[in-house]
Amino acid sequence: MASHCNTQYFLNPRLSFRLLALVGTLTWHFLVTEGAGPIELRGEVGGSVTFSCPVAKQKLKFVYFQRGEIFVNGYYESKNTTQLAWKNTRVDDDKTTMHMYHLNISHHGEYQCHFQYSDNSGAQKQVIHLSLTANYSKPALSVHCSDDNHRYSCLVTCASHYGYPSKKVKWNEPAIQMWKVLNSSEISDPKTMMVNSSSTAYFNCSNGKTSVRCSVGDVSSDMVSICSPRDPPPVFHNLVIIAILATMGISIILILLLYWRCKKGQRGAAAVDFMLIHGDVRKCEEEATVHNEKNEATEAS
Ligand SMILES: *[C@@H]1O[C@H](CO)[C@@H](O)[C@H](O)[C@H]1NC(C)=O
Ligand SMILES: *[C@@H]1O[C@H](CO)[C@@H](O)[C@H](O)[C@H]1NC(C)=O
Ligand SMILES: *[C@@H]1O[C@H](CO)[C@@H](O)[C@H](O)[C@H]1NC(C)=O
Ligand SMILES: *[C@@H]1O[C@H](CO)[C@@H](O)[C@H](O)[C@H]1NC(C)=O
């Protein structure tokens, strides 16, 4: 937004000449009285903020806001300043209150309000400092555990996006676990200047299950459980499931087989009894199998 207005300022030589003349007039021909301390304003990226110039209820020759040498918006008795005004600003009818919308990081910084009463007393200046912040996203934890040589450990990464100003990831300290921060980074987007903050920590799981949480600025992540014996590495987990399923399958087949053999055995035994009674040994040999080998042997001898 600001850059757009700045571009316009430089691209329009006639207007910028007039503005420079205006600024020159103020700085060279008047003794500028400065207001007490700077006014501190706070705003959020994407939000809006209201600037107020501390003027008395008197007729004004001019009252306007500027940033460095660049006109932002305001009123000048004998000049039309509308074309120079930043597009994201609006001045109220009272002329001393300015609203700035669609704030982005480039709007962060120092502004001044210049004013002079119509009675030709000296020009006055008030410094206004605008600080911008952007809430970091809720930090997200990603956990990668491994079980190398039966030494169970977890790498946990905490990441939060699009905040301002730059803030480091803070880890809550798990009481029982040995751990250390491996790396941290705060990467600023060159265009928007918004910051991504992240950190990776190593946890030695030799003391068992624990919980971790991280925070960036005022925003905390959820509490996440790590090093849990019930949450072994995924490969191990899958193998266990496969083993259980296979065991169940084999058991069912075995039970069915046993049941089938038992049924068949009963039928076979009944047949043998019947055939022995009737003295039909050949039929018995055909029907009864393994089960009746003894009988067959006796018969043959
Ligand atoms: C940013 O955080 C502050 C403090 O928690 C909260 O008051 C504000 O509403 C948040 N802003 C946005 C845009 O979510
Ligand atoms: C931090 O360390 C982890 C583990 O060594 C690695 O995967 C990650 O890429 C590192 N991150 C940065 C920003 O260096
Ligand atoms: C910040 O994080 C977002 C989301 O992961 C990503 O799209 C973006 O490229 C990151 N920006 C920088 C400057 O690393
Ligand atoms: C974890 O800590 C124990 C001692 O508490 C140590 O014996 C073991 O080597 C450590 N494991 C790793 C992977 O550093």
Side-chain angles (χ1 to χ4, degrees):
M1 219 42 85
S3 58
H4 170 78
C5 297
N6 297 354
T7 317
Q8 187 195 28
Y9 168 79
F10 286 115
L11 286 180
N12 194 331
R14 200 166 51 85
L15 284 173
S16 51
F17 176 76
R18 262 209 294 183
L19 181 77
L20 282 177
L22 191 122
V23 172
T25 308
L26 292 173
T27 42
W28 292 109
H29 294 267
F30 297 96
L31 180 68
V32 178
T33 323
E34 208 167 320
I39 295 175
E40 296 292 339
L41 284 183
R42 294 188 185 281
E44 279 189 35
V45 170
S48 60
V49 74
T50 299
F51 292 75
S52 286
C53 200
V55 299
K57 265 208 169 350
Q58 280 184 46
K59 197 163 164 25
L60 286 155
K61 204 169 186 176
F62 59 79
V63 52
Y64 63 88
F65 297 88
Q66 75 177 45
R67 183 181 193 185
E69 297 292 281
I70 296 164
F71 180 82
V72 178
N73 203 344
Y75 162 78
Y76 201 95
E77 198 179 40
S78 54
K79 292 184 173 80
N80 183 358
T81 54
T82 8
Q83 276 181 285
L84 285 173
W86 288 11
K87 297 284 179 280
N88 67 326
T89 62
R90 185 173 59 77
V91 169
D92 282 352
D93 291 338
D94 69 1
K95 304 187 184 83
T96 64
T97 313
M98 178 180 79
H99 306 280
M100 188 179 282
Y101 306 95
H102 313 300
L103 293 170
N104 63 50
I105 307 293
S106 73
H107 297 127
H108 180 98
E110 194 181 294
Y111 295 77
Q112 304 120 41
C113 165
H114 293 269
F115 61 98
Q116 190 185 13
Y117 299 111
S118 296
D119 63 7
N120 267 338
S121 56
Q124 297 182 48
K125 176 174 117 174
Q126 170 67 52
V127 172
I128 301 169
H129 194 264
L130 174 60
S131 322
L132 290 179
T133 57
N135 290 348
Y136 280 88
S137 65
K138 180 174 171 169
L141 285 171
S142 53
V143 182
H144 297 282
C145 297
S146 63
D147 193 10
D148 296 334
N149 304 320
H150 304 292
R151 295 203 305 187
Y152 194 30
S153 64
C154 296
L155 279 182
V156 185
T157 296
C158 172
S160 175
H161 305 292
Y162 303 121
Y164 190 86
S166 180
K167 282 188 180 149
K168 281 190 170 294
V169 168
K170 281 194 197 127
W171 293 93
N172 76 320
E173 298 211 13
I176 54 160
Q177 222 60 254
M178 303 217 308
W179 71 291
K180 64 170 189 262
V181 175
L182 293 184
N183 59 36
S184 286
S185 70
E186 296 85 40
I187 300 169
S188 173
D189 187 301
K191 223 167 142 193
T192 64
M193 287 151 80
M194 301 282 263
V195 180
N196 285 353
S197 186
S198 77
S199 176
T200 301
Y202 168 88
F203 294 83
N204 178 339
C205 294
S206 57
N207 288 326
K209 185 178 163 181
T210 191
S211 298
V212 290
R213 190 203 285 274
C214 66
S215 59
V216 177
D218 300 333
V219 208
S220 285
S221 71
D222 287 332
M223 196 76 135
V224 166
S225 179
I226 58 165
C227 298
S228 161
R230 277 188 302 159
D231 186 27
V235 177
F236 178 61
H237 203 69
N238 288 346
L239 281 180
V240 168
I241 290 175
I242 290 168
I244 290 171
L245 286 180
T247 314
M248 278 169 66
I250 291 169
S251 305
I252 289 169
I253 291 168
L254 276 177
I255 289 166
L256 285 176
L257 261 175
L258 279 174
Y259 178 75
W260 177 72
R261 279 201 61 165
C262 190
K263 273 265 168 187
K264 199 183 168 184
Q266 273 174 9
R267 260 192 284 128
V272 170
D273 289 344
F274 177 79
M275 284 178 283
L276 282 177
I277 291 164
H278 290 81
D280 195 344
V281 178
R282 257 197 207 146
K283 271 231 168 110
C284 174
E285 278 178 322
E286 279 169 25
E287 295 254 353
T289 49
V290 196
H291 209 80
N292 297 323
E293 267 168 18
K294 252 192 195 153
N295 291 350
E296 282 170 42
T298 343
E299 210 58 40
S301 64

